[in-house]
Amino acid sequence: MSDVASAAGVSHQTVSRVLNGHPSVRPETRERVQDAIARLGYRRNSAARALVTRRTDTLGVVTPASALYGPTSTLVAFEQAAREAGWYVSVATMRRFDADSMRTAVEHFLDHGVDGLVVIAPTTEVAQAVVGVEVPVPVVMISSAPELPLGANAVAVGVDQRFGARLATRHLLERGHRDVLHVAGPQDWFDAQDRLAGWREECAAWGVTPPEPVTAGWSADDGYAVGRRLVADGLPGAIFAANDQLALGLEHAFADAGVHVGEDLALVGFDDEAGSAHYLPPLTTVRQDFARLGERAIAVIHGALTGKPDTGARLVAPELVVRRSSGATS
Amino acid sequence: MSDVASAAGVSHQTVSRVLNGHPSVRPETRERVQDAIARLGYRRNSAARALVTRRTDTLGVVTPASALYGPTSTLVAFEQAAREAGWYVSVATMRRFDADSMRTAVEHFLDHGVDGLVVIAPTTEVAQAVVGVEVPVPVVMISSAPELPLGANAVAVGVDQRFGARLATRHLLERGHRDVLHVAGPQDWFDAQDRLAGWREECAAWGVTPPEPVTAGWSADDGYAVGRRLVADGLPGAIFAANDQLALGLEHAFADAGVHVGEDLALVGFDDEAGSAHYLPPLTTVRQDFARLGERAIAVIHGALTGKPDTGARLVAPELVVRRSSGATS
DNA sequence: TGACGGGTTGTTAGCGCTCACATGAGAGCG
DNA sequence: CGCTCTCATGTGAGCGCTAACAACCCGTCA
């Protein structure tokens, strides 16, 4: 920096001012400095800067170490939003979700002086691990459970899974089905809990008593297993599967048994994964707006950091995508 | 730090020594210091440390901003490997792949003093953008094109796409097919180029002249479109699709036309995505070992940083997963 | 004409840490 | 018993930057 200063014939402080866009620098001086910076290929040392400003312009993201649809999409979307807002993103994946791993991840980020923390917390376990850790920076939890008992400077944002589930269920009810079975995801996942709850609510709102839900994992294998069991034990008229993979497995099992999804049975999934438009039959499903979710998360952190708490929505609404599996004609 | 020092009755330098595991500290002193650290909840300031050591223990990852199977899986796997080796990972996604975006991403990381850089470079464009940027730290490009004209301190590692493609093609040839069509991915992607090349090689090795390949995108929509065209123009006996999504779209198109994949026509995909075991019919495909890929990338960076260049394999071998779509009986 | 004020630039200190070197205490040896 | 050597610890400087303050110039106004 002092090299630049002498090359431009000014003091290092003036260089700093130019770098930080300070207003009171004469345009001609500014230009001379910028010239010198370019000529010398100067690059400001961010460690030194962070040392004195106590800001790193970095956000830490803790996310489950899985290539599952939800967490991954959330991560990508969040990174985009962060970058747009001038933040860098550091990532730590967690293989296990115990409080200890969480503490380790969080401490690593605190050691590195992140300005804020985002925890992609799909399960109760992760969320509870967060609750236990004292954190001196704003924390956003990305999950659909806004009523979580979070610490003072923690906020949750998420996609409104419950609403999505109601959309899916309503669609099936509107098509005349009264026995809408729910194949639920693992119940330690918020998304699974909320989709189950949404399904229950919508059925109740229609005065329909649904069959007992079936609980499974998230994978197509799980869906296949459930499908085989249903084929053996008797099929409902409609199924709302907790995600597209489950729906895919169900379609497989039904195809094996000669059951025509979309005709003999209506099926709706959740996620609108790449490819679900080409399942056999193409899957009616619920699409989540991850981009907006990322923006919301950033807004919350920004708000906490500037002292003007964000007042925007905590939940982002998903939308229904209708395809043939639910019996639509298109 | 000085607080800790006085609390433990030593100098700040001794505290530093304890923190860095310096050998010549008396065990009893060390214990006293560690005690004080715990009691005071002291946490070393990494900015100050980075300022003087010129190391951040952070690796930067530049990756395309897509939730596509390959890049995402690679990212997750790499983060795991990095963490295991004691590195933190910062991520920047690129929406566009021009040299400018690349320069921006790389410079941001250099500004922040990463110790090394990983570029998930699936396309020619990205790779070329890297080639143009001067980088003072080790760079690993994750791509299947090891013969890339990289800079002095850049190395490419990847999954051996060509070998995978040969496995897939060989499988079809072994089952007696002589008209193995390749539905290729976008040809600015290395993976697509290499899968095409592998298919050509294997056909040549068997003395078979394959039909002209069809080029498409990566999506199931693309696969569907190609499938419809094939149905109209005439079907080959076997198809090697450049990825599972394309295969899924093909299956869809063929199902629409009443063509039975696995019987009337053999199909092999590439990726072994979640769910491909439940496509209709379940898809024979090629599985990539992303975990090993991540480890290889870390090893290369570690080698470059320690001055002992890594001598391990640059390419990781994929494996064939046989299912019903290729006509297998299971 | 001189006091005042705003815009521009320079000077100094210090962020929290590690490195290089200095110091001191004790062990080993002739 | 004095010398050297080693291990344990302390001291001082400085990494590159920004914040706070000081200094200066120049135009304005009474």
Side-chain angles (χ1 to χ4, degrees), chain B residues 231-258:
Chain B
V231 167
D233 297 354
L235 293 172
I239 301 181
F240 164 40
N243 77 348
D244 286 357
Q245 286 287 316
L246 283 170
L248 177 63
L250 288 168
E251 286 191 349
H252 182 193
F254 295 153
D256 281 0

Side-chain angles (χ1 to χ4, degrees), chain A residues 1 16 42 44-45 49:
Chain A
M1 179 147 151
S16 169
Y42 166 76
R44 157 163 72 186
N45 179 318
R49 178 164 215 255

Side-chain angles (χ1 to χ4, degrees), chain B residues 1 13 16 20 42 44-45 49:
Chain B
M1 179 146 152
Q13 176 58 9
S16 168
N20 294 317
Y42 165 76
R44 158 163 71 186
N45 179 317
R49 180 165 215 256

Side-chain angles (χ1 to χ4, degrees), chain A:
Chain A
M1 179 147 151
S2 65
D3 289 355
V4 173
S6 56
V10 297
S11 75
H12 63 128
Q13 177 59 5
T14 299
V15 177
S16 169
R17 277 194 267 259
V18 169
L19 249 25
N20 294 317
H22 192 96
S24 70
V25 176
R26 233 182 330 156
E28 116 195 13
T29 312
R30 180 187 314 276
E31 198 171 323
R32 225 170 49 234
V33 170
Q34 274 160 347
D35 224 63
I37 288 176
R39 210 167 53 246
L40 274 60
Y42 166 76
R43 180 164 290 143
R44 157 163 72 186
N45 179 318
S46 71
R49 178 164 215 255
L51 182 57
V52 48
T53 60
R54 278 135 202 300
R55 283 204 48 172
T56 54
D57 292 340
T58 299
L59 300 177
V61 177
V62 181
T63 177
S66 88
L68 278 181
Y69 182 74
T72 331
S73 310
T74 308
L75 176 59
V76 171
F78 177 77
E79 202 283 339
Q80 291 285 328
R83 158 170 299 243
E84 220 108 291
W87 265 295
Y88 312 124
V89 172
S90 251
V91 181
T93 60
M94 294 178 64
R95 223 179 303 203
R96 295 176 315 121
F97 292 148
D98 51 301
D100 246 30
S101 308
M102 176 60 79
R103 195 184 315 277
T104 308
V106 169
E107 289 193 343
H108 140 213
F109 281 133
L110 294 181
D111 281 352
H112 279 247
V114 295
D115 296 341
L117 218 49
V118 173
V119 180
I120 299 180
T123 70
T124 320
E125 214 177 357
V126 184
Q128 276 165 352
V130 179
V131 172
V133 182
E134 193 69 22
V135 186
V137 298
V139 179
V140 171
M141 192 132 93
I142 297 194
S143 92
S144 52
E147 70 283 359
L148 234 50
L150 296 173
N153 49 9
V155 167
V157 304
V159 170
D160 195 339
Q161 306 291 338
R162 190 176 301 220
F163 176 68
R166 294 194 65 161
L167 287 180
T169 310
R170 185 176 313 154
H171 174 68
L172 292 169
L173 290 165
E174 278 171 356
R175 297 189 66 79
H177 299 286
R178 285 300 169 267
D179 53 343
V180 178
L181 175 69
H182 180 45
V183 178
Q187 286 301 301
D188 53 336
W189 286 61
F190 292 120
D191 288 2
Q193 291 167 16
D194 289 343
R195 289 172 198 172
L196 175 65
W199 164 76
R200 280 227 167 86
E201 278 173 26
E202 190 65 19
C203 285
W206 285 61
V208 168
T209 308
E212 201 55 28
V214 180
T215 303
W218 284 127
S219 75
D221 279 354
D222 295 317
Y224 185 67
V226 170
R228 289 180 69 104
R229 217 170 324 128
L230 289 176
V231 166
D233 297 354
L235 293 172
I239 301 181
F240 165 41
N243 78 348
D244 286 358
Q245 286 288 316
L246 283 170
L248 177 62
L250 288 168
E251 286 192 348
H252 183 194
F254 296 152
D256 282 359
V259 175
H260 295 292
V261 172
E263 294 162 27
D264 307 336
L265 180 149
L267 178 64
V268 177
F270 205 112
D271 274 351
D272 194 28
E273 276 195 9
S276 58
H278 295 278
Y279 292 173
L280 298 174
L283 189 66
T284 295
T285 186
V286 179
R287 181 184 297 158
Q288 313 185 49
D289 188 347
F290 289 109
R292 227 175 106 52
L293 180 57
E295 286 162 19
R296 297 302 309 129
I298 288 292
V300 168
I301 290 195
H302 187 76
L305 246 28
T306 54
K308 300 183 204 124
D310 168 80
T311 55
R314 292 276 172 271
L315 287 179
V316 173
E319 75 185 295
L320 187 73
V321 181
V322 178
R323 302 203 185 96
R324 283 223 310 279
S325 70
S326 57
T329 42
S330 79

